[in-house]
Amino acid sequence: MAELADPRAGALVDPADWTCPAPLRDQGVVVMGHGGGGALSAELIEHVFAPAYGNPTLAGLADSAVLGVGGARLAFSTDSYVVRPLFFPGGSLGDLAVNGTVNDLAMSGARPAWLSAAFVLEEGVELDVVGRIARAMGAAAEEAGVTVVTGDTKVVEAGHGDGVYVTTAGIGLVPDGVDIRPQRARPGDAVLVSGPIGLHGVAIMSVREGLEFGVEVTSDTAPLAGLVATMLAVTPDIHVLRDPTRGGLAASLNEIARASGTGVRLDERAVPVPDAVANACGFLGLDPLYVANEGRLVAFVPRERADAVLEAMRAHPRGAGAALVGECVAEHPGMVVVSTGLGGTRVVDLPLGEQLPRIC
């Protein structure tokens, strides 16, 4: 193949050497998209991790595993947090490390109880920074009603980390009669979201890239177990819950559609997108449906119970902006489509990676 001149260096480059973030089977190395919660992450799990230690519990690919222990049903989840920057409008790495795992437990209907916390610290990071993160974790744990009961600390050489990484694992108790998992979505279910989307991703983007959008956008990071308990008090027959973090609402809905073999139809006009998020996404050419959230949930609820659940959500501080945004359908199984404001329809596919990496 003919070689071309590289204008940046004056050297010759061979187009045959060019690469792009294609799916894992076409990659020999990890790329940033593998951590984005989209198609590349799914490929990584399917081709590397599932064959290594796959089992029926893991195969469910829920936000947390539900395990039977001594007659009780326990939810168990773990997550690592590598957000950059460590502090951002509305929160910090410490808040995320608690709220993210608490919310993963809540998405199975569990009442979160205990957390572990493991720190990887880079040599040279200021102890004041570590202390701020630890105090933020303590405050978030108190608000969420959980206790950090065990942990670990490791230190890596300067240049081999990014200040502070945190991994938390959590355990919660699942009430009797609750069975919440993506495979339970059914045609006819109403699709609810608990509030405006996209705030976390835009908040991170604004401080990371030094962008201003006229108003300060703050992250929505928050614990959601109390909101879930309020919803379950209306009906224990909630079919699916997900917190749309990496990959945003689009990724979560695609995962649910594929796991359940159903389709999802969204009404674009019904999805609550704050003006600041819409303006930022319009400026940057992003789709708010793909922007990460850290204090929102999406629920699939039987249509006959949806109005009562929605009313209860709106009465709770964490669900004041809740909205009915679509429905689960038998048509186009495994796909998500959006009815646009112009009367058309478009497919919302699983993103390849994350529009903004290192978001949580």
Side-chain angles (χ1 to χ4, degrees):
M1 182 177 291
E3 293 180 327
L4 304 175
D6 183 349
R8 295 170 298 177
L12 295 177
V13 295
D14 186 347
D17 295 330
W18 293 349
T19 61
C20 65
L24 180 65
R25 56 181 171 266
D26 298 325
Q27 286 280 352
V29 298
V30 172
V31 297
M32 288 300 295
H34 286 128
L40 286 175
S41 293
E43 291 270 351
L44 185 66
I45 294 169
E46 178 184 356
H47 294 289
V48 175
F49 297 126
Y53 40 76
N55 56 75
T57 302
L58 182 65
L61 295 179
D63 285 333
S64 60
V66 177
L67 310 167
V69 181
R73 296 170 67 223
L74 299 180
F76 177 44
S77 185
T78 187
D79 209 340
S80 295
Y81 300 88
V82 296
V83 65
R84 179 172 61 85
L86 300 176
F87 305 94
F88 47 84
S92 69
L93 172 66
D95 302 282
L96 291 185
V98 171
N99 293 337
T101 295
V102 163
N103 292 345
D104 282 347
L105 296 171
M107 294 307 105
S108 62
R111 296 191 294 268
W114 303 287
L115 295 181
S116 70
F119 283 76
V120 177
L121 309 176
E122 183 183 12
E123 180 185 24
V125 67
E126 295 87 349
L127 287 176
D128 284 348
V129 169
V130 180
R132 285 179 63 191
I133 292 171
R135 289 191 296 273
M137 290 182 67
E142 182 176 0
E143 181 181 359
V146 296
T147 305
V148 179
V149 293
T150 188
D152 185 44
T153 304
K154 295 292 189 296
V155 177
V156 298
E157 298 88 344
H160 291 264
D162 194 12
V164 182
Y165 299 146
V166 178
T167 296
T168 51
I171 296 174
L173 182 66
V174 181
D176 291 338
V178 172
D179 181 16
I180 299 174
R181 47 194 171 89
Q183 292 79 9
R184 290 199 67 216
R186 297 289 183 269
D189 283 354
V191 179
L192 314 177
V193 296
S194 62
I197 66 169
L199 290 165
H200 178 70
V202 171
I204 294 290
M205 192 182 312
S206 66
V207 292
R208 185 184 297 179
E209 306 299 335
L211 302 175
E212 296 183 2
F213 303 113
V215 296
E216 183 180 63
V217 181
T218 60
S219 172
D220 59 1
T221 177
L224 297 174
L227 174 61
V228 171
T230 296
M231 297 165 66
L232 289 173
V234 175
T235 175
D237 191 29
I238 294 174
H239 290 167
V240 188
L241 292 172
R242 272 290 170 97
D243 56 335
T245 54
R246 298 176 304 169
L249 184 62
S252 292
L253 293 178
N254 271 278
E255 291 166 359
I256 294 167
R258 295 181 185 191
S260 62
T262 62
V264 175
R265 183 184 296 120
L266 284 184
D267 180 352
E268 187 174 54
R269 293 165 295 186
V271 178
V273 180
D275 288 342
V277 171
N279 293 338
C281 289
F283 176 73
L284 297 168
L286 304 178
D287 187 335
L289 293 177
Y290 291 96
V291 178
N293 311 270
E294 286 293 343
R296 300 288 181 253
L297 63 80
V298 56
F300 282 55
V301 180
R303 186 63 189 87
E304 63 272 15
R305 303 298 294 156
D307 291 340
V309 172
L310 189 60
E311 182 180 359
M313 293 172 71
R314 288 172 173 169
H316 191 281
R318 302 297 184 198
L324 193 158
V325 298
E327 62 179 338
C328 184
V329 297
E331 296 80 24
H332 50 79
M335 294 178 59
V336 179
V337 301
V338 172
S339 299
T340 70
L342 298 176
T345 301
R346 64 185 175 95
V347 174
V348 177
D349 204 357
L350 189 68
L352 189 64
E354 172 61 75
Q355 293 179 118
L356 186 68
R358 302 281 302 280
I359 202 75
C360 60

Short mmCIF file of all heavy atoms in Angstrom, two decimals, residues 222-274:
data_model
loop_
_atom_site.label_atom_id
_atom_site.label_comp_id
_atom_site.label_asym_id
_atom_site.label_seq_id
_atom_site.Cartn_x
_atom_site.Cartn_y
_atom_site.Cartn_z
N ALA A 222 -25.57 10.59 44.40
CA ALA A 222 -26.43 10.47 45.58
C ALA A 222 -26.77 9.00 45.79
O ALA A 222 -26.80 8.21 44.84
CB ALA A 222 -27.72 11.28 45.39
N PRO A 223 -27.06 8.60 47.05
CA PRO A 223 -27.51 7.23 47.31
C PRO A 223 -28.98 7.08 46.97
O PRO A 223 -29.80 7.97 47.23
CB PRO A 223 -27.28 7.08 48.82
CG PRO A 223 -27.43 8.47 49.37
CD PRO A 223 -26.91 9.40 48.29
N LEU A 224 -29.35 5.94 46.41
CA LEU A 224 -30.71 5.74 45.91
C LEU A 224 -31.48 4.65 46.65
O LEU A 224 -32.62 4.35 46.29
CB LEU A 224 -30.67 5.39 44.42
CG LEU A 224 -30.11 6.48 43.50
CD1 LEU A 224 -29.98 5.95 42.07
CD2 LEU A 224 -30.97 7.73 43.54
N ALA A 225 -30.89 4.06 47.69
CA ALA A 225 -31.58 2.96 48.37
C ALA A 225 -32.88 3.41 49.00
O ALA A 225 -33.87 2.66 49.01
CB ALA A 225 -30.65 2.35 49.43
N GLY A 226 -32.92 4.63 49.54
CA GLY A 226 -34.15 5.11 50.14
C GLY A 226 -35.26 5.28 49.12
O GLY A 226 -36.43 4.96 49.38
N LEU A 227 -34.91 5.78 47.94
CA LEU A 227 -35.89 5.92 46.86
C LEU A 227 -36.41 4.55 46.44
O LEU A 227 -37.63 4.37 46.24
CB LEU A 227 -35.27 6.64 45.68
CG LEU A 227 -36.13 6.75 44.42
CD1 LEU A 227 -37.41 7.52 44.70
CD2 LEU A 227 -35.34 7.41 43.28
N VAL A 228 -35.51 3.57 46.32
CA VAL A 228 -35.94 2.22 45.92
C VAL A 228 -36.88 1.63 46.96
O VAL A 228 -37.90 1.01 46.62
CB VAL A 228 -34.72 1.32 45.70
CG1 VAL A 228 -35.14 -0.14 45.51
CG2 VAL A 228 -33.91 1.79 44.49
N ALA A 229 -36.58 1.82 48.25
CA ALA A 229 -37.46 1.31 49.30
C ALA A 229 -38.85 1.94 49.20
O ALA A 229 -39.86 1.26 49.40
CB ALA A 229 -36.85 1.60 50.68
N THR A 230 -38.91 3.23 48.87
CA THR A 230 -40.19 3.89 48.69
C THR A 230 -40.97 3.28 47.53
O THR A 230 -42.20 3.09 47.60
CB THR A 230 -39.97 5.40 48.44
OG1 THR A 230 -39.38 5.98 49.61
CG2 THR A 230 -41.26 6.11 48.12
N MET A 231 -40.27 2.98 46.45
CA MET A 231 -40.93 2.36 45.29
C MET A 231 -41.43 0.96 45.62
O MET A 231 -42.54 0.57 45.24
CB MET A 231 -39.96 2.33 44.12
CG MET A 231 -39.51 3.70 43.63
SD MET A 231 -38.06 3.66 42.54
CE MET A 231 -38.73 2.79 41.12
N LEU A 232 -40.63 0.19 46.35
CA LEU A 232 -41.03 -1.17 46.69
C LEU A 232 -42.19 -1.19 47.67
O LEU A 232 -42.96 -2.16 47.72
CB LEU A 232 -39.83 -1.93 47.29
CG LEU A 232 -38.73 -2.29 46.30
CD1 LEU A 232 -37.53 -2.88 47.04
CD2 LEU A 232 -39.23 -3.29 45.26
N ALA A 233 -42.33 -0.12 48.46
CA ALA A 233 -43.48 -0.03 49.37
C ALA A 233 -44.79 0.10 48.60
O ALA A 233 -45.85 -0.31 49.09
CB ALA A 233 -43.30 1.15 50.32
N VAL A 234 -44.73 0.63 47.39
CA VAL A 234 -45.91 0.73 46.53
C VAL A 234 -46.21 -0.63 45.91
O VAL A 234 -47.36 -1.08 45.88
CB VAL A 234 -45.70 1.79 45.43
CG1 VAL A 234 -46.88 1.81 44.46
CG2 VAL A 234 -45.48 3.15 46.05
N THR A 235 -45.18 -1.28 45.39
CA THR A 235 -45.33 -2.62 44.83
C THR A 235 -43.98 -3.34 44.86
O THR A 235 -42.98 -2.78 44.41
CB THR A 235 -45.86 -2.59 43.38
OG1 THR A 235 -45.86 -3.93 42.85
CG2 THR A 235 -45.01 -1.72 42.49
N PRO A 236 -43.93 -4.56 45.38
CA PRO A 236 -42.67 -5.32 45.31
C PRO A 236 -42.41 -5.88 43.91
O PRO A 236 -41.32 -6.38 43.65
CB PRO A 236 -42.90 -6.46 46.32
CG PRO A 236 -44.38 -6.64 46.35
CD PRO A 236 -44.97 -5.27 46.13
N ASP A 237 -43.41 -5.76 43.03
CA ASP A 237 -43.28 -6.33 41.69
C ASP A 237 -42.68 -5.33 40.70
O ASP A 237 -43.21 -5.10 39.61
CB ASP A 237 -44.64 -6.82 41.18
CG ASP A 237 -44.52 -7.66 39.91
OD1 ASP A 237 -43.46 -8.30 39.74
OD2 ASP A 237 -45.46 -7.66 39.10
N ILE A 238 -41.58 -4.72 41.08
CA ILE A 238 -40.79 -3.94 40.13
C ILE A 238 -39.92 -4.92 39.35
O ILE A 238 -39.23 -5.75 39.94
CB ILE A 238 -39.93 -2.89 40.87
CG1 ILE A 238 -40.83 -1.85 41.53
CG2 ILE A 238 -38.96 -2.23 39.91
CD1 ILE A 238 -40.09 -0.86 42.40
N HIS A 239 -39.95 -4.86 38.04
CA HIS A 239 -39.28 -5.87 37.23
C HIS A 239 -37.78 -5.61 37.11
O HIS A 239 -36.98 -6.54 37.26
CB HIS A 239 -39.92 -5.94 35.84
CG HIS A 239 -41.29 -6.51 35.85
ND1 HIS A 239 -42.15 -6.43 34.78
CD2 HIS A 239 -41.98 -7.17 36.83
CE1 HIS A 239 -43.30 -7.04 35.08
NE2 HIS A 239 -43.21 -7.48 36.31
N VAL A 240 -37.40 -4.37 36.80
CA VAL A 240 -35.99 -4.06 36.55
C VAL A 240 -35.65 -2.71 37.15
O VAL A 240 -36.45 -1.77 37.10
CB VAL A 240 -35.68 -4.00 35.02
CG1 VAL A 240 -34.16 -3.86 34.80
CG2 VAL A 240 -36.21 -5.23 34.30
N LEU A 241 -34.45 -2.61 37.71
CA LEU A 241 -33.86 -1.33 38.12
C LEU A 241 -32.43 -1.29 37.61
O LEU A 241 -31.71 -2.28 37.67
CB LEU A 241 -33.86 -1.17 39.65
CG LEU A 241 -35.20 -1.01 40.35
CD1 LEU A 241 -35.00 -1.07 41.87
CD2 LEU A 241 -35.86 0.30 39.97
N ARG A 242 -32.02 -0.14 37.13
CA ARG A 242 -30.62 0.08 36.74
C ARG A 242 -30.24 1.52 37.04
O ARG A 242 -31.07 2.42 36.87
CB ARG A 242 -30.41 -0.19 35.24
CG ARG A 242 -30.09 -1.64 34.88
CD ARG A 242 -28.71 -2.04 35.36
NE ARG A 242 -28.46 -3.46 35.25
CZ ARG A 242 -27.82 -4.05 34.23
NH1 ARG A 242 -27.41 -3.32 33.22
NH2 ARG A 242 -27.61 -5.33 34.23
N ASP A 243 -29.00 1.74 37.46
CA ASP A 243 -28.51 3.12 37.56
C ASP A 243 -27.65 3.38 36.33
O ASP A 243 -26.64 2.74 36.11
CB ASP A 243 -27.75 3.37 38.86
CG ASP A 243 -26.59 2.42 39.09
OD1 ASP A 243 -26.62 1.29 38.55
OD2 ASP A 243 -25.65 2.80 39.81
N PRO A 244 -28.06 4.31 35.49
CA PRO A 244 -27.39 4.53 34.19
C PRO A 244 -26.12 5.36 34.34
O PRO A 244 -26.10 6.56 34.12
CB PRO A 244 -28.46 5.26 33.38
CG PRO A 244 -29.27 6.00 34.40
CD PRO A 244 -29.27 5.15 35.64
N THR A 245 -25.04 4.68 34.71
CA THR A 245 -23.76 5.37 34.94
C THR A 245 -23.00 5.44 33.61
O THR A 245 -23.36 6.21 32.74
CB THR A 245 -22.98 4.66 36.05
OG1 THR A 245 -22.85 3.26 35.75
CG2 THR A 245 -23.70 4.81 37.39
N ARG A 246 -21.93 4.66 33.47
CA ARG A 246 -21.16 4.69 32.22
C ARG A 246 -22.04 4.32 31.03
O ARG A 246 -22.78 3.35 31.07
CB ARG A 246 -19.99 3.71 32.30
CG ARG A 246 -18.98 4.02 33.38
CD ARG A 246 -17.91 2.95 33.44
NE ARG A 246 -18.49 1.62 33.64
CZ ARG A 246 -17.81 0.48 33.52
NH1 ARG A 246 -16.53 0.51 33.19
NH2 ARG A 246 -18.40 -0.67 33.74
N GLY A 247 -21.97 5.11 29.97
CA GLY A 247 -22.79 4.86 28.80
C GLY A 247 -24.17 5.46 28.90
O GLY A 247 -24.93 5.43 27.94
N GLY A 248 -24.52 6.00 30.08
CA GLY A 248 -25.76 6.72 30.25
C GLY A 248 -27.02 5.87 30.12
O GLY A 248 -26.99 4.64 30.19
N LEU A 249 -28.14 6.55 29.93
CA LEU A 249 -29.43 5.88 29.81
C LEU A 249 -29.45 4.94 28.62
O LEU A 249 -30.05 3.85 28.68
CB LEU A 249 -30.53 6.94 29.69
CG LEU A 249 -31.97 6.45 29.64
CD1 LEU A 249 -32.34 5.73 30.93
CD2 LEU A 249 -32.92 7.63 29.39
N ALA A 250 -28.79 5.31 27.55
CA ALA A 250 -28.79 4.47 26.34
C ALA A 250 -28.18 3.11 26.60
O ALA A 250 -28.72 2.07 26.19
CB ALA A 250 -28.03 5.18 25.21
N ALA A 251 -27.03 3.08 27.30
CA ALA A 251 -26.37 1.80 27.56
C ALA A 251 -27.23 0.92 28.46
O ALA A 251 -27.39 -0.28 28.21
CB ALA A 251 -25.00 2.04 28.20
N SER A 252 -27.81 1.50 29.52
CA SER A 252 -28.62 0.71 30.43
C SER A 252 -29.82 0.10 29.72
O SER A 252 -30.15 -1.08 29.90
CB SER A 252 -29.09 1.58 31.60
OG SER A 252 -28.01 1.95 32.42
N LEU A 253 -30.51 0.89 28.90
CA LEU A 253 -31.69 0.37 28.21
C LEU A 253 -31.32 -0.71 27.21
O LEU A 253 -32.05 -1.70 27.04
CB LEU A 253 -32.43 1.51 27.53
CG LEU A 253 -33.07 2.53 28.47
CD1 LEU A 253 -33.74 3.65 27.67
CD2 LEU A 253 -34.09 1.87 29.39
N ASN A 254 -30.20 -0.55 26.52
CA ASN A 254 -29.77 -1.59 25.58
C ASN A 254 -29.43 -2.88 26.31
O ASN A 254 -29.77 -3.98 25.84
CB ASN A 254 -28.56 -1.11 24.78
CG ASN A 254 -28.95 -0.39 23.51
OD1 ASN A 254 -29.23 -1.02 22.49
ND2 ASN A 254 -28.97 0.94 23.57
N GLU A 255 -28.77 -2.78 27.46
CA GLU A 255 -28.44 -3.98 28.23
C GLU A 255 -29.70 -4.70 28.68
O GLU A 255 -29.78 -5.93 28.63
CB GLU A 255 -27.57 -3.60 29.42
CG GLU A 255 -26.17 -3.14 29.04
CD GLU A 255 -25.45 -2.45 30.18
OE1 GLU A 255 -26.06 -2.30 31.27
OE2 GLU A 255 -24.29 -2.03 29.99
N ILE A 256 -30.70 -3.95 29.12
CA ILE A 256 -31.96 -4.55 29.57
C ILE A 256 -32.69 -5.19 28.40
O ILE A 256 -33.20 -6.32 28.50
CB ILE A 256 -32.83 -3.48 30.25
CG1 ILE A 256 -32.18 -3.00 31.54
CG2 ILE A 256 -34.23 -4.03 30.54
CD1 ILE A 256 -32.80 -1.74 32.11
N ALA A 257 -32.75 -4.50 27.27
CA ALA A 257 -33.43 -5.04 26.10
C ALA A 257 -32.80 -6.35 25.65
O ALA A 257 -33.50 -7.32 25.31
CB ALA A 257 -33.42 -4.01 24.97
N ARG A 258 -31.48 -6.39 25.63
CA ARG A 258 -30.79 -7.60 25.16
C ARG A 258 -30.93 -8.74 26.16
O ARG A 258 -31.08 -9.91 25.78
CB ARG A 258 -29.32 -7.28 24.89
CG ARG A 258 -29.17 -6.28 23.75
CD ARG A 258 -27.73 -5.95 23.43
NE ARG A 258 -27.67 -4.89 22.40
CZ ARG A 258 -26.58 -4.54 21.76
NH1 ARG A 258 -25.41 -5.12 22.04
NH2 ARG A 258 -26.63 -3.59 20.84
N ALA A 259 -30.87 -8.43 27.46
CA ALA A 259 -30.98 -9.48 28.48
C ALA A 259 -32.37 -10.09 28.50
O ALA A 259 -32.53 -11.29 28.74
CB ALA A 259 -30.64 -8.91 29.85
N SER A 260 -33.39 -9.29 28.24
CA SER A 260 -34.78 -9.75 28.33
C SER A 260 -35.36 -10.20 26.99
O SER A 260 -36.44 -10.80 26.96
CB SER A 260 -35.66 -8.64 28.91
OG SER A 260 -35.64 -7.50 28.06
N GLY A 261 -34.68 -9.89 25.89
CA GLY A 261 -35.20 -10.24 24.58
C GLY A 261 -36.42 -9.43 24.20
O GLY A 261 -37.28 -9.89 23.43
N THR A 262 -36.53 -8.21 24.72
CA THR A 262 -37.63 -7.32 24.40
C THR A 262 -37.09 -6.08 23.70
O THR A 262 -35.88 -5.89 23.58
CB THR A 262 -38.40 -6.91 25.66
OG1 THR A 262 -37.51 -6.18 26.52
CG2 THR A 262 -38.92 -8.12 26.41
N GLY A 263 -37.99 -5.21 23.27
CA GLY A 263 -37.61 -3.93 22.73
C GLY A 263 -37.98 -2.81 23.68
O GLY A 263 -38.78 -3.00 24.60
N VAL A 264 -37.39 -1.64 23.48
CA VAL A 264 -37.71 -0.47 24.28
C VAL A 264 -38.01 0.68 23.32
O VAL A 264 -37.28 0.90 22.35
CB VAL A 264 -36.56 -0.08 25.23
CG1 VAL A 264 -36.89 1.22 25.97
CG2 VAL A 264 -36.27 -1.20 26.21
N ARG A 265 -39.11 1.40 23.60
CA ARG A 265 -39.46 2.58 22.83
C ARG A 265 -39.48 3.78 23.76
O ARG A 265 -40.23 3.81 24.73
CB ARG A 265 -40.82 2.41 22.15
CG ARG A 265 -41.20 3.60 21.26
CD ARG A 265 -42.60 3.45 20.68
NE ARG A 265 -42.68 2.28 19.79
CZ ARG A 265 -43.50 1.26 19.99
NH1 ARG A 265 -44.31 1.26 21.04
NH2 ARG A 265 -43.53 0.25 19.15
N LEU A 266 -38.64 4.77 23.47
CA LEU A 266 -38.56 6.00 24.26
C LEU A 266 -39.27 7.14 23.55
O LEU A 266 -39.27 7.20 22.32
CB LEU A 266 -37.11 6.42 24.50
CG LEU A 266 -36.25 5.68 25.52
CD1 LEU A 266 -34.90 6.35 25.63
CD2 LEU A 266 -36.92 5.62 26.88
N ASP A 267 -39.81 8.06 24.33
CA ASP A 267 -40.33 9.31 23.82
C ASP A 267 -39.30 10.38 24.14
O ASP A 267 -39.12 10.75 25.30
CB ASP A 267 -41.68 9.64 24.47
CG ASP A 267 -42.27 10.96 23.97
OD1 ASP A 267 -41.58 11.69 23.22
OD2 ASP A 267 -43.41 11.26 24.34
N GLU A 268 -38.59 10.86 23.13
CA GLU A 268 -37.50 11.80 23.35
C GLU A 268 -37.96 13.05 24.10
O GLU A 268 -37.24 13.58 24.95
CB GLU A 268 -36.89 12.19 22.00
CG GLU A 268 -35.65 13.05 22.09
CD GLU A 268 -35.03 13.26 20.72
OE1 GLU A 268 -35.76 13.72 19.81
OE2 GLU A 268 -33.84 12.96 20.57
N ARG A 269 -39.17 13.51 23.83
CA ARG A 269 -39.67 14.72 24.48
C ARG A 269 -39.95 14.51 25.96
O ARG A 269 -40.02 15.48 26.72
CB ARG A 269 -40.92 15.21 23.76
CG ARG A 269 -40.68 15.70 22.34
CD ARG A 269 -41.97 15.81 21.56
NE ARG A 269 -42.58 14.50 21.35
CZ ARG A 269 -43.65 14.28 20.61
NH1 ARG A 269 -44.24 15.28 19.99
NH2 ARG A 269 -44.15 13.06 20.49
N ALA A 270 -40.14 13.26 26.38
CA ALA A 270 -40.46 12.98 27.78
C ALA A 270 -39.22 12.80 28.64
O ALA A 270 -39.31 12.84 29.87
CB ALA A 270 -41.32 11.72 27.88
N VAL A 271 -38.07 12.60 28.01
CA VAL A 271 -36.82 12.38 28.78
C VAL A 271 -36.38 13.71 29.38
O VAL A 271 -36.15 14.68 28.66
CB VAL A 271 -35.72 11.79 27.89
CG1 VAL A 271 -34.43 11.62 28.69
CG2 VAL A 271 -36.16 10.46 27.29
N PRO A 272 -36.25 13.80 30.71
CA PRO A 272 -35.87 15.08 31.34
C PRO A 272 -34.38 15.38 31.16
O PRO A 272 -33.53 14.74 31.77
CB PRO A 272 -36.23 14.87 32.81
CG PRO A 272 -36.18 13.39 33.02
CD PRO A 272 -36.55 12.75 31.71
N VAL A 273 -34.09 16.35 30.31
CA VAL A 273 -32.71 16.78 30.06
C VAL A 273 -32.60 18.25 30.47
O VAL A 273 -33.26 19.11 29.87
CB VAL A 273 -32.33 16.63 28.57
CG1 VAL A 273 -30.89 17.11 28.34
CG2 VAL A 273 -32.50 15.18 28.12
N PRO A 274 -31.81 18.57 31.50
CA PRO A 274 -31.68 19.98 31.91
C PRO A 274 -31.14 20.84 30.77
O PRO A 274 -30.38 20.37 29.92
CB PRO A 274 -30.69 19.91 33.08
CG PRO A 274 -30.73 18.49 33.55
CD PRO A 274 -31.02 17.67 32.34
#
